[in-house]
Amino acid sequence: METKELNLITNREKAIEEAGELLKNGGVVAIPTETVYGLAADAFNADAVAKIFEAKGRPQDNPVIVHICDRDQLSKVVSAVPEKAEKLMDAFWPGPLTLVMPKADAVPSTVCAGLPTVAVRFPRDKDTQDIIRAAGTPLAAPSANISGSPSPTKALHVMSDLKGKIDAVVKASGLCEVGLESTVIDMTKEPPVLLRPGAVTPEQIESVIGKIEISEGVLHQLPEGETAASPGMKYRHYAPKVKVVLVKGSYEKYRDFLNDRQSSKNVALCYKGEGTDIGCPAISYGLCNSPEEQAKELFDALRRIDKMAVNVVYARCPKPEGIGLALYNRLIRAAGFEVLDLGE
Ligand code: AMP
Ligand code: MG
């Protein structure tokens, strides 16, 4: 299959119209959003949704998020809206927040992997909104990568994973604004349960609806055989092909640790401005004091590492606070929960 490139920069109107047409006709199209690129299909077309799973190699038991372009579309996909969900929508929609709610009968079970609930998001990116509008239907869209690899934050990442397997990619300029997948919170529980941290932080959520629970799987490895509240949490994820080790401690300790075992097969994953005094290749992403910039650049950095002939990535460990919790969650999964604590 030829994968069309629809360029928003050179002809926005045409790109959106063509993406809309393809989606209306059961096609599968990668689209930019403020979080990461999504692989979209008509959420009410079970055959089209099946193509998403096939292209990504996504396990059938991992449900996908449904994207809408205004709150009126919500009643098509959910059967009830809990009061606290309403409050979160008022505060954070459109934006990088996904709410799990009871599903409407019309949503095919492939979208929800057989669960009685559906995850819904109203993205704030204007291009995403216009593509959904052009398609004339809510869009089911997980991240547009091969399952398990780092999520794509630019069109080139999508092409390197899915060229020839999908109908088209809509190309925006530069990296996605946020760079990490949306915050996911289960609103069918009381208190609501945070399933995946993202740019909308637990602190921000609690300031609107009070106490929430953080799912065990956010920070820890789930014991073998335990059912995950969010099926996606049980898979190794966001990972480059090489081994990743997360390293806790000060920059000085980290530098000395790497310099003690100099090897061109190691790579340091550190922050901008660091790494010049480390005797192995270094890839840097985001300034040390800007977790937002780190979020935006992390997946691109992991993909750059995959192009290097190295064996082990030693990654600086972000502070698990604010959006740093989301960074920590992605990196600890990439590392298969392997953490080395060097102390301060
Ligand atoms: P992705 O679409 O790749 O961003 O991943 C979506 C995440 O949301 C995965 O971790 C899913 O397991 C989770 N998710 C989607 N739908 C539901 C649902 N109905 N209940 C719980 N988690 C969900
Ligand atoms: Mg994903």
Side-chain angles (χ1 to χ4, degrees):
M1 171 195 294
E2 191 213 340
T3 300
K4 268 193 171 175
E5 284 194 53
L6 308 172
N7 199 322
L8 285 168
I9 310 137
T10 52
N11 194 340
R12 184 177 188 276
E13 212 171 305
K14 184 160 172 264
I16 287 171
E17 192 190 310
E18 281 197 42
E21 274 309 306
L22 286 167
L23 289 161
K24 264 185 195 158
N25 292 310
V28 179
V29 180
I31 62 172
T33 82
E34 74 270 23
T35 58
V36 301
Y37 273 74
L39 186 58
D42 177 353
F44 293 112
N45 181 336
D47 292 337
V49 173
K51 290 189 215 163
I52 297 178
F53 283 82
E54 196 184 316
K56 281 179 60 77
R58 185 173 175 101
Q60 298 290 337
D61 66 350
N62 192 5
V64 297
I65 295 170
V66 175
H67 296 73
I68 57 176
C69 62
D70 60 58
R71 274 175 68 174
D72 291 343
Q73 282 187 325
L74 191 60
S75 58
K76 293 188 183 168
V77 289
V78 306
S79 60
V81 180
E83 203 182 310
K84 287 183 180 175
E86 200 86 55
K87 286 190 177 155
L88 290 181
M89 290 176 212
D90 290 340
F92 302 110
W93 275 11
L97 176 69
T98 297
L99 304 173
V100 174
M101 293 180 274
K103 90 185 246 308
D105 289 342
V107 179
S109 65
T110 38
V111 170
C112 312
L115 297 169
T117 53
V118 61
V120 191
R121 180 160 90 88
F122 176 2
R124 75 166 165 244
D125 184 293
K126 292 284 178 260
D127 297 325
T128 321
Q129 292 178 6
D130 286 349
I131 293 166
I132 303 170
R133 211 165 285 123
T137 176
L139 298 176
S143 50
N145 53 325
I146 292 289
S147 242
S149 73
S151 292
T153 47
K154 55 184 177 195
L156 206 64
H157 298 159
V158 176
M159 283 305 248
S160 97
D161 277 18
L162 298 174
K163 190 174 182 189
K165 296 182 171 176
I166 60 175
D167 292 293
V169 57
V170 180
K171 188 177 171 186
S173 67
L175 292 172
C176 295
E177 180 200 335
V178 174
L180 296 178
E181 305 83 350
S182 59
T183 305
V184 180
I185 182 162
D186 185 350
M187 302 309 298
T188 68
K189 301 278 166 21
E190 187 47 51
V193 181
L194 184 85
L195 299 176
R196 179 173 74 185
V200 178
T201 65
E203 296 84 353
Q204 289 175 312
I205 292 172
E206 289 191 331
S207 75
V208 177
I209 57 165
K211 197 76 196 137
I212 61 167
E213 207 173 284
I214 310 277
S215 174
E216 180 69 11
V218 168
L219 291 172
H220 307 285
Q221 191 160 23
L222 291 171
E224 198 73 39
E226 183 158 316
T227 317
S230 180
M233 292 195 311
K234 68 184 181 200
Y235 299 107
R236 182 172 185 249
H237 239 131
Y238 318 113
K241 295 180 191 84
V242 298
K243 180 182 162 74
V244 181
V245 177
L246 201 50
V247 185
K248 272 189 186 160
S250 65
Y251 176 70
E252 289 68 30
K253 288 264 171 69
Y254 173 79
R255 176 198 62 203
D256 295 347
F257 170 82
L258 284 170
N259 283 338
D260 283 349
R261 42 185 69 61
Q262 281 194 22
S263 159
S264 61
K265 292 291 175 194
N266 291 340
V267 57
L269 179 61
C270 50
Y271 305 129
K272 275 183 190 159
E274 300 176 345
T276 49
D277 51 357
I278 292 178
C280 70
I283 291 284
S284 58
Y285 73 105
L287 287 166
C288 184
N289 59 5
S290 175
E292 283 78 17
E293 197 183 36
Q294 292 163 24
K296 183 167 181 161
E297 297 177 5
L298 174 66
F299 287 142
D300 184 58
L302 291 177
R303 282 179 178 261
R304 278 189 281 148
I305 287 171
D306 260 344
K307 296 213 173 85
M308 301 164 76
V310 291
N311 294 338
V312 188
V313 184
Y314 289 97
R316 290 261 274 143
C317 183
K319 265 206 193 92
E321 303 165 358
I323 194 175
L325 178 68
L327 279 161
Y328 180 84
N329 167 270
R330 304 310 188 269
L331 275 168
I332 200 154
R333 281 188 159 59
F337 292 88
E338 190 168 338
V339 182
L340 195 68
D341 194 346
L342 301 178
E344 285 306 308

